[in-house]
Amino acid sequence: RLYPGRGSIVRAQRPQAQESWLDELAEREMGLVQQVITAVRSLRADLTVPFSQKLPVTLIAPDEQTARLLESQAEGIVWLGAASEFTVLGDGAKRPEDALYLRAGDVEVYVHVNESVDVARQAKRLRKKLDQVSSEIERSQRKLSSEEFLQRAPEAVVAKEREKLERAKETARRLERHLQVLERMLHE
């Protein structure tokens, strides 16, 4: 029951949104925080690091306002990103060399590869994954260069194949960046 005399909650009218509740700035700011957390988690996934294993995270903000926002949300980013350390730097700061990198909007997100990560094993795994993605790229390029495919396939199928190719190329670029970092660490 909601309140005495009002009946069951099942039959209650849903709350109506009010214009005064909308805050576009808050939505943009939280959207950026969500992108940062997603980037941290994606980098951790690329390393196949379990959530229980904490890694240092560094963010490079494009301006002072963004840096303040990220620092104000540090607790959530640390918790949801499983960070052992959390640093927010300003634009122009020296980029970490021992870290994998992604962009989240205008923010550069770095997850440091520390001694708890088996760098050689991760490099080998990423090379294998990059080979698989390269094969996918070749297949898609062959398919899209075939006049017969382009003429016979519905436009939606061709568009889907082009999207698949672009996603695979982006994945390959990301894996190559990660592999460069890991290989540099192996040779130090």
Side-chain angles (χ1 to χ4, degrees):
R1 298 218 173 259
L2 283 174
Y3 300 103
R6 289 218 178 154
S8 170
I9 193 169
V10 174
R11 294 195 175 134
Q13 185 176 8
R14 298 183 123 210
Q16 299 298 314
Q18 296 179 18
E19 193 71 30
S20 64
W21 293 351
L22 300 178
D23 186 341
E24 289 182 24
L25 176 60
E27 289 181 24
R28 273 196 313 277
E29 289 178 344
M30 287 312 297
L32 178 60
V33 171
Q34 289 173 331
Q35 288 177 10
V36 166
I37 292 166
T38 299
V40 170
R41 293 175 71 108
S42 293
L43 289 168
R44 291 177 58 83
D46 286 346
L47 282 174
T48 62
V49 175
F51 194 77
S52 60
Q53 185 179 338
K54 311 295 186 210
L55 294 175
V57 172
T58 299
L59 306 178
I60 298 182
D63 54 57
E64 187 64 34
Q65 181 179 355
T66 304
R68 281 193 308 272
L69 166 68
L70 296 169
E71 287 168 352
S72 74
Q73 299 300 314
E75 186 177 352
I77 296 169
V78 166
W79 173 252
L80 295 170
S84 60
E85 298 171 34
F86 179 75
T87 308
V88 179
L89 303 174
D91 194 29
K94 185 176 185 292
R95 274 57 180 162
E97 293 182 13
D98 65 338
L100 303 188
Y101 156 82
L102 275 178
R103 286 192 82 79
D106 291 337
V107 177
E108 296 177 25
V109 178
Y110 295 88
V111 171
H112 298 261
V113 180
N114 62 20
E115 64 281 345
S116 66
V117 175
D118 183 343
V119 175
R121 192 178 113 244
Q122 291 297 336
K124 181 179 178 182
R125 192 185 57 74
L126 286 181
R127 272 190 225 98
K128 184 177 178 182
K129 192 171 182 180
L130 183 57
D131 288 344
Q132 292 170 342
V133 172
S134 295
S135 295
E136 289 176 29
I137 290 170
E138 289 174 19
R139 274 193 300 275
S140 286
Q141 286 175 331
R142 269 196 311 273
K143 201 181 263 191
L144 289 169
S145 66
S146 166
E147 285 298 321
E148 184 178 345
F149 173 74
L150 295 174
Q151 290 174 355
R152 291 186 178 197
E155 186 56 39
V157 172
V158 173
K160 188 174 182 179
E161 191 64 35
R162 286 189 176 121
E163 289 173 18
K164 179 180 167 186
L165 175 61
E166 288 309 309
R167 280 193 309 274
K169 284 181 176 180
E170 177 53 39
T171 299
R173 285 190 292 270
R174 187 181 80 243
L175 294 175
E176 286 169 353
R177 274 195 320 265
H178 296 348
L179 202 48
Q180 286 174 353
V181 170
L182 297 176
E183 288 177 344
R184 187 172 52 242
M185 291 177 73
L186 282 172
H187 295 91
E188 288 181 349

